[in-house]
Amino acid sequence: MSRAPDPSGPGAIGATAPIGVAIVGGGPAGLSAGLQLVRANRRIAILDSNRPRHSATLQSHGFLTRDGAPPLELRRIGREEFEAYPTATFAQSIVREIEPLDPDEARGIGFPDGIGFAVRGTGVRGAPDVEFRARRVLVTAGLTEELPDLPMIRAFYGTALHSCVECDGFEKSDKPLVLIGETSDVFARALLISRFSSDLIVFTNAADTVTAHQEQQLAAIGIRVERRRIDDIVGERAEMTGVRLSDGEVIPRVGGFVRPRWHAPVEFLGDRALARDDWGLIVVSDRGETSLRGVYAAGDIVPPGPQQLIIAAGEGARVAGKMNMDLIRGALGVGQVDD
């Protein structure tokens, strides 16, 4: 029996042409996945709002061949490489809705396994609104972050204060540092930072996040735990100079790390809730698929959460390979399991 050609295969993308995968988010994970998939002769659209979480960061580190490059420069290069392929589309838009297609509708437009999605986005910076019909969706939208509620913390975030120890710890070596955190993993973060500075103070901002036993362990390696509530971060011009506590005392510090709370922004799925872990991150299978069939996720939005850019890019490539096999199997009717 002959089969209809797979519309997510090679060919130019028209305004309403069906595509293989719609990727939500044009950071390292999304761009890496997109590159792998266009190289697999898939029609791919990346929808990106151009509002990266790390836009305040001047340099990224640990990315082989690009150590020290600005994150926005990495995105620019990645986008150019992706768009060099004829089956690639990059849309500057905010995804506002992802709606699963009825199986009959999906088959009617050439999606052989009856799985498909309508992906709609609102253009930004003068770009037009977009709508795609995609066989699969990959969410690499990253996370939104909630920093401790301190008036001046944003003024120093990305320069003096950072959230990724692996990304920015080396540049803080041998300096008097702060770790501000109200989450349960503050103790582990303090241990990481101890590799870079012997002058570290952990500020819990009155949260009960460090146990008495953990405080003793930190004290044994010279790390102090300060439990008083923080009033604000202080500095002169663009330089951080200390942490002011609620009683007025200022403890001199020149920089350090803060542990945000993370939120996975998937409102575009409406009331179709995805399974999440205790941190609110999107739970995925070994294949990278979420609890909603046909929707995959990769990068910071999945456990264990934010990591180095090179790891996010690697995860995007890995999940792209699984998606490509899913699409092949779906078109041939041979099931989902990888042999």
Side-chain angles (χ1 to χ4, degrees), residues 221-299:
I221 58 174
I223 298 175
R224 167 185 161 193
V225 175
E226 175 55 69
R227 298 182 181 274
R228 285 177 288 176
R229 189 173 297 279
I230 299 172
D231 178 62
D232 206 357
I233 309 298
V234 296
E236 296 178 0
R237 298 178 182 174
E239 301 294 326
M240 175 179 167
T241 58
V243 177
R244 185 172 65 234
L245 301 175
S246 57
D247 60 10
E249 180 183 355
V250 175
I251 298 178
R253 301 282 96 182
V254 301
F257 298 87
V258 59
R259 194 61 168 160
R261 298 182 187 276
W262 307 106
H263 302 280
V266 290
E267 294 80 7
F268 43 75
L269 289 169
D271 58 2
R272 302 172 188 87
L274 301 180
R276 300 180 184 237
D277 69 3
D278 293 340
W279 289 75
L281 302 173
I282 304 301
V283 174
V284 294
S285 68
D286 291 342
R287 299 164 59 244
E289 192 170 21
T290 71
S291 56
L292 179 59
R293 178 72 178 107
V295 176
Y296 288 71

Side-chain angles (χ1 to χ4, degrees), residues 12 63 69 105 117 131 142 147 171 181 226 229 239 258 297 300-301:
F63 203 116
E105 180 184 359
F117 302 87
E131 181 170 343
L147 296 175
E171 283 67 35
E226 175 55 69
R229 189 173 297 279
E239 301 294 326
V258 59
D300 290 353
I301 203 168

Side-chain angles (χ1 to χ4, degrees), residues 151 167 191 209 230 232 339:
C167 305
L191 296 180
T209 58
I230 299 172
D232 206 357
D339 292 332

Side-chain angles (χ1 to χ4, degrees), residues 185-208:
D185 61 348
V186 168
F187 174 71
R189 307 308 293 176
L191 296 180
L192 281 175
I193 299 170
S194 71
R195 288 292 306 153
F196 302 104
S197 175
S198 60
D199 187 0
L200 171 65
I201 300 177
V202 176
F203 291 81
T204 67
N205 197 23
D208 188 19

Side-chain angles (χ1 to χ4, degrees), residues 4-302:
D6 180 358
S8 65
I13 299 178
T16 59
I19 63 173
V21 180
I23 300 176
V24 182
L31 288 167
S32 179
L35 182 62
Q36 297 298 319
L37 288 165
V38 291
R39 288 186 53 78
N41 281 330
R42 297 287 177 191
R43 294 174 176 171
I44 305 301
I46 295 178
L47 296 85
D48 183 68
S49 65
N50 198 32
R51 298 175 183 175
R53 177 176 59 83
H54 51 57
S55 58
T57 302
L58 301 179
Q59 293 182 323
S60 59
H61 295 284
F63 203 116
L64 193 63
T65 78
R66 292 293 184 270
D67 188 48
L72 293 179
E73 177 71 2
L74 286 176
R75 291 168 66 97
R76 183 191 64 77
I77 295 171
R79 175 178 171 178
E80 288 180 353
E81 292 177 347
F82 170 73
E83 288 190 296
Y85 288 80
T87 57
T89 293
F90 192 99
Q92 288 200 3
S93 63
I94 298 174
V95 176
R96 67 176 188 272
E97 184 180 24
I98 295 177
E99 180 182 2
L101 300 177
D102 177 84
D104 289 338
E105 180 184 359
R107 293 187 184 95
I109 61 175
F111 294 171
D113 54 9
I115 300 171
F117 302 87
V119 180
R120 303 179 180 95
T122 301
V124 297
R125 298 187 177 183
D129 294 349
V130 294
E131 181 170 343
F132 298 98
R133 294 292 191 271
R135 285 187 63 193
R136 301 290 187 268
V137 169
L138 173 59
V139 180
T140 59
L143 299 168
T144 58
E145 58 192 5
E146 177 187 345
L147 296 175
D149 187 17
L150 304 173
M152 291 297 294
I153 195 167
R154 284 284 177 186
F156 301 101
Y157 189 57
T159 53
L161 294 172
H162 305 272
S163 60
C164 177
V165 178
E166 296 86 349
C167 305
D168 299 290
F170 182 84
E171 283 67 35
K172 303 297 184 186
S173 295
D174 302 321
K175 297 178 180 179
L177 302 180
V178 56
L179 169 60
I180 301 172
E182 303 169 8
T183 57
S184 59
D185 61 348
V186 168
F187 174 71
R189 307 308 293 176
L191 296 180
L192 281 175
I193 299 170
S194 71
R195 288 292 306 153
F196 302 104
S197 175
S198 60
D199 187 0
L200 171 65
I201 300 177
V202 176
F203 291 81
T204 67
N205 197 23
D208 188 19
T209 58
V210 178
T211 68
H213 180 59
Q214 289 173 336
E215 183 172 359
Q216 292 173 356
Q217 291 179 307
L218 292 175
I221 58 174
I223 298 175
R224 167 185 161 193
V225 175
E226 175 55 69
R227 298 182 181 274
R228 285 177 288 176
R229 189 173 297 279
I230 299 172
D231 178 62
D232 206 357
I233 309 298
V234 296
E236 296 178 0
R237 298 178 182 174
E239 301 294 326
M240 175 179 167
T241 58
V243 177
R244 185 172 65 234
L245 301 175
S246 57
D247 60 10
E249 180 183 355
V250 175
I251 298 178
R253 301 282 96 182
V254 301
F257 298 87
V258 59
R259 194 61 168 160
R261 298 182 187 276
W262 307 106
H263 302 280
V266 290
E267 294 80 7
F268 43 75
L269 289 169
D271 58 2
R272 302 172 188 87
L274 301 180
R276 300 180 184 237
D277 69 3
D278 293 340
W279 289 75
L281 302 173
I282 304 301
V283 174
V284 294
S285 68
D286 291 342
R287 299 164 59 244
E289 192 170 21
T290 71
S291 56
L292 179 59
R293 178 72 178 107
V295 176
Y296 288 71
D300 290 353
I301 203 168
V302 305

